C-alpha cells in the first residue's frame, strides 16, 4: 500500500554533511518564462482531467538507474553552491534520479507571476569516482527537490527542512531536526479489495518560489488515472514546520476510498504486542507509535499502532473533525537505544480548515517483517466519495513537531503493553477461552490524575465482543509524578479481532483521553 521507507532514508541525507568540492557552475540555468499562478494551475489541471491519462515517462539510461540503488545514490551530492535561490533564506537543491525514483519531475522557478523551467545538467551534481550516476545523460531530469536551512556558504547550508520526493510524498524535519513520517497529496483506494490495486497519483510539476516573509510557497500539479489536482503549499519554520495546504481535485472517474490529507509512517514493533514479530537487539523500532484524533465533539482518542498479522483497516466515524495525526509519543532514547534517534521523529498533525462534513478517520496497518517498509497510513475519508466529473477542494494545516499537538489536562496513555497467555493457571483454561486470553497493562499520566487514588477511580472499558476480567488501576512504581498503571485481562472467545475502548473517570468527571485498540487473537505471541 505504501511506498518504501527509502524515501525517508534518502531524506536523511540532508542531515549528513555535503562534501565541498570546487565546482565552476554557480547554479542551474533557467528556461524562458511563462505566466503562472494558482488559478492558472487550476485551469491546467481541469483541462488535463478532460484528456486521456498518460503515465509519466521513465527517464532514459535505465541501466544506469538500475545501478543507482541506495548506496550509490547516497554518495551523490548536490552542492549548496549550485542551489536555486542560493542567496535566499532557504535555497532549493535537487534530488538525483535513481533505482527507486525513475520518473523525472518538471521544476520551475516561480517569481513575480512568471515561471521559468529549471534545466537539468549533469554537472550540477557531485559524483565520487566510479559512481554509476555519471552514466545518466544530460537532460535526464530531477527526481525531486528540497529547501535548505541556510543560504549557501553559511554554516549548516548542507541541511534541509522540507523535501518533495517520489509520487505525491513530501516530508518536513520537525523541531527535533529529524525526518520520519511523510505526508501525501492524496490517497486513492488504499487497502483495496482483493483483485484491485492502490493508485498512486504523482506530482509531475512543481513551481517553487524563494522565501518571503519567512515562508516558502510551492505550487504542484497532480496527475493520476482517477483525477488531476492543483496544490498550494505555504511552509514556515516557527521553529517546528507548519505547512498550509490548499488543493482542488478534478475527478476523471469515481473511486471507492478517497483519502484526504493522508499520512504514512513505519512501525515494526513497539513495547506492545507487536514485539513478538521481531528478532532485533533494539527494544522498539518505529517512526510513529500512535494515531491521535480530536473529534468534532472534542473527544480525544488515542489509538496505539500495531504490526498486525494481516492487513487491518480501522475507521473512526466523525463529523467536522478538529484534527488527527500520527505521533511519536515515546520520546525516551533508552526505549530505542538507536543511533537513528527515533525519539526525535516528528509528529504530523492535520488541522482541517472549514467544515469537512461527515466521514471517518481511517487507519491502515500492514504487516511487515522489517523496518524498511512504510506500513502505516492514516487519512480522512469523506462519507460521500467523489464521482467522475466532480470537483473537490480542501484546505488544512500540517504541524510537524515533537510536542503534543493538543493541549489538555486529561491524562494521556504513554504505554500499551500486552503479554501472551502462557502464564494462565489451569483453572483459567475453560472452554472457549484458554488459548485466546491476553493480559493488557497500560500507563497513563497527566494533570487530571493529580491527588487522586487510582484504586478508587473507575476504569470504563468496553469490548466489541468477548469479555474482560480483573480490571483495575494502581500507581506505577516510578516517575514523578507517579503515572497510573491500568490492567485487565481480555478473553476473545473466538479468532475475530476485538475492538476495545477505555477511559478513566472519577464519578462523572473524565480523567483521560479515550484509549482505543484492536486486539487480534491471531497475532504472534498468542498461545494457540
Amino acid at each position: 500500500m505504501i511506498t518504501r521507507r527509502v524515501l525517508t532514508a534518502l531524506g536523511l541525507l540532508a542531515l549528513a554533511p555535503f562534501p565541498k568540492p570546487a565546482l565552476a557552475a554557480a547554479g542551474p540555468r533557467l528556461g524562458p518564462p511563462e505566466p503562472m499562478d494558482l488559478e492558472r494551475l487550476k485551469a491546467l489541471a481541469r483541462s488535463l482531467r478532460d484528456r486521456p491519462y498518460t503515465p509519466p515517462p521513465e527517464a532514459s539510461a535505465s541501466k544506469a538507474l538500475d545501478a543507482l540503488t541506495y548506496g550509490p545514490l547516497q554518495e551523490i551530492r548536490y552542492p549548496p553552491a549550485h542551489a536555486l535561490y542560493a542567496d535566499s533564506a532557504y535555497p532549493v537543491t535537487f534530488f538525483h534520479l535513481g533505482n527507486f525514483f525513475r520518473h523525472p519531475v518538471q521544476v520551475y522557478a516561480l517569481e513575480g507571476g512568471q515561471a521559468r523551467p529549471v534545466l537539468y545538467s549533469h554537472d550540477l551534481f557531485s559524483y565520487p569516482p566510479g559512481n554509476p550516476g555519471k552514466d545518466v545523460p544530460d537532460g535526464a531530469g530531477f527526481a525531486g527537490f528540497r529547501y535548505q536551512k541556510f543560504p549557501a556558504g553559511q554554516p549548516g547550508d548542507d541541511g534541509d527542512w522540507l523535501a518533495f520526493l517520489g509520487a505525491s510524498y513530501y516530508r518536513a524535519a520537525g523541531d527535533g531536526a529529524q525526518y520520519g513520517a511523510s505526508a501525501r497529496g492524496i490517497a486513492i483506494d488504499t487497502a483495496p479489495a482483493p483483485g484491485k490495486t492502490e493508485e498512486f497519483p504523482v506530482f509531475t510539476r512543481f513551481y517553487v518560489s524563494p522565501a518571503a516573509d519567512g515562508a516558502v510557497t510551492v505550487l504542484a500539479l497532480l496527475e493520476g488515472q482517477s483525477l488531476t489536482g492543483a496544490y498550494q503549499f505555504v511552509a514556515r519554520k516557527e521553529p517546528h514546520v507548519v505547512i498550509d495546504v490548499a488543493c482542488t481535485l478534478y475527478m476523471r472517474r469515481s473511486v471507492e476510498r478517497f483519502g484526504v490529507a493522508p499520512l504514512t509512517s513505519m512501525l515494526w514493533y513497539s513495547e506492545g504486542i507487536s514485539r513478538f514479530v521481531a528478532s532485533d537487539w533494539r527494544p522498539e523500532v518505529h517512526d510513529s507509535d500512535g494515531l491521535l484524533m480530536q473529534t468534532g465533539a472534542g473527544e480525544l482518542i488515542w489509538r496505539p499502532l500495531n504490526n498486525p498479522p494481516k492487513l487491518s483497516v480501522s475507521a473512526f466515524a466523525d463529523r467536522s473533525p478538529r484534527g488527527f495525526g500520527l505521533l511519536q509519543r515515546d520520546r525516551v532514547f533508552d526505549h530505542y537505544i538507536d543511533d537513528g534517534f527515533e525519539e526525535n521523529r516528528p509528529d504530523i498533525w492535520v488541522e482541517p480548515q472549514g467544515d469537512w462534513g461527515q466521514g471517518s478517520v481511517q487507519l491502515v496497518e500492514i504487516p511487515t517483517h522489517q523496518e524498511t517498509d512504510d506500513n502505516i497510513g492514516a487519512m480522512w475519508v469523506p462519507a460521500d466519495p467523489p464521482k467522475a466529473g466532480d470537483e473537490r477542494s480542501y484546505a488544512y494545516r500540517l504541524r510537524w513537531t515533537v510536542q503534543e499537538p493538543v493541549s489538555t489536562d486529561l491524562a494521556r496513555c504513554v504505554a500499551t503493553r500486552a503479554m501472551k497467555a502462557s502464564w494462565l493457571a489451569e483453572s483459567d483454561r475453560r472452554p472457549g477461552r484458554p488459548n485466546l486470553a491476553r493480559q493488557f497493562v497500560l500507563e497513563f499520566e497527566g494533570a487530571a490524575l493529580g491527588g487522586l487514588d487510582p484504586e478508587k477511580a473507575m476504569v470504563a472499558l468496553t469490548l466489541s465482543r468477548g469479555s474482560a476480567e480483573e480490571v483495575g488501576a494502581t500507581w506505577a512504581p516510578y516517575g514523578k509524578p507517579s503515572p497510573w498503571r491500568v490492567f485487565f485481562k481480555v478473553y476473545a472467545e473466538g479468532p475475530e479481532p476485538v475492538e476495545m475502548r477505555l477511559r478513566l473517570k472519577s464519578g462523572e468527571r473524565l480523567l483521560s483521553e479515550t484509549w482505543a485498540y484492536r486486539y487480534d487473537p491471531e497475532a504472534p505471541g498468542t498461545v494457540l
Side-chain angles (χ1 to χ4, degrees), residues 230-372:
Y231 282 72
Q232 177 178 270
F233 304 91
V234 180
R236 299 175 177 84
K237 291 170 83 319
E238 29 181 74
H240 68 269
V241 178
V242 176
I243 305 178
D244 289 316
V245 184
C247 63
T248 301
L249 302 158
Y250 306 90
M251 303 304 300
R252 283 188 164 118
R253 63 187 188 187
S254 303
V255 298
E256 294 182 8
R257 180 175 281 127
F258 187 68
V260 178
L263 310 175
T264 181
S265 191
M266 177 277 295
L267 180 135
W268 187 14
Y269 58 92
S270 62
E271 79 277 0
I273 290 177
S274 57
R275 179 64 183 89
F276 296 111
V277 308
S279 177
D280 193 89
W281 58 273
R282 293 163 293 182
E284 302 181 38
V285 179
H286 49 79
D287 287 341
S288 305
D289 57 6
L291 169 68
L292 181 67
M293 295 160 278
Q294 187 175 32
T295 70
E299 181 184 12
L300 284 175
I301 303 174
W302 173 249
R303 166 60 155 83
L305 301 178
N306 208 350
N307 183 357
K310 56 188 175 183
L311 175 67
S312 172
V313 180
S314 301
F316 299 85
D318 197 9
R319 180 176 181 83
S320 304
R322 298 187 189 182
F324 67 92
L326 293 176
L327 275 58
Q328 185 80 311
R329 184 169 273 184
D330 188 341
R331 299 206 172 274
V332 179
F333 172 80
D334 290 347
H335 294 178
Y336 303 94
I337 57 174
D338 191 348
D339 58 7
F341 301 106
E342 293 177 51
E343 72 278 5
N344 288 329
R345 299 288 196 261
D347 304 336
I348 311 181
W349 182 249
V350 180
E351 296 176 357
Q353 308 296 302
D355 187 354
W356 281 14
Q358 195 77 29
S360 60
V361 174
Q362 297 197 6
L363 173 66
V364 178
E365 297 167 302
I366 301 173
T368 185
H369 299 288
Q370 55 192 0
E371 62 179 305
T372 54

Side-chain angles (χ1 to χ4, degrees), residues 57-60 65 68 78 94-98 101-107 118-122 124-125 127 136-144:
E58 185 174 308
S60 58
L65 296 182
L68 282 173
Y78 192 102
F94 299 91
F95 288 105
H96 199 282
L97 293 169
F101 308 102
R102 312 178 74 94
H103 301 286
V105 296
Q106 296 175 280
V107 183
V118 180
L119 303 179
Y120 174 89
S121 173
H122 188 273
L124 290 170
F125 292 90
Y127 304 88
V136 177
D138 261 353
F142 303 110

Side-chain angles (χ1 to χ4, degrees), residues 138-257:
D138 261 353
F142 303 110
F145 68 96
R146 50 193 173 188
Y147 278 94
Q148 304 298 127
K149 292 182 179 179
F150 302 103
Q154 292 189 10
D157 65 357
D158 53 357
D160 66 336
W161 61 280
L162 176 62
F164 289 79
L165 176 65
S168 68
Y169 287 80
Y170 57 101
R171 308 173 310 285
D175 37 1
Q178 289 278 340
Y179 282 119
S182 301
R184 300 168 63 183
I186 200 73
I188 301 296
D189 290 337
T190 301
K196 295 186 177 181
T197 57
E198 180 177 5
E199 178 183 341
F200 285 87
V202 176
F203 286 137
T204 57
R205 300 188 194 183
F206 292 100
Y207 300 86
V208 299
S209 299
D213 298 324
V216 299
T217 300
V218 176
L219 303 182
L221 175 68
L222 184 78
E223 297 186 70
Q225 293 174 297
S226 298
L227 79 172
T228 62
Y231 282 72
Q232 177 178 270
F233 304 91
V234 180
R236 299 175 177 84
K237 291 170 83 319
E238 29 181 74
H240 68 269
V241 178
V242 176
I243 305 178
D244 289 316
V245 184
C247 63
T248 301
L249 302 158
Y250 306 90
M251 303 304 300
R252 283 188 164 118
R253 63 187 188 187
S254 303
V255 298
E256 294 182 8
R257 180 175 281 127

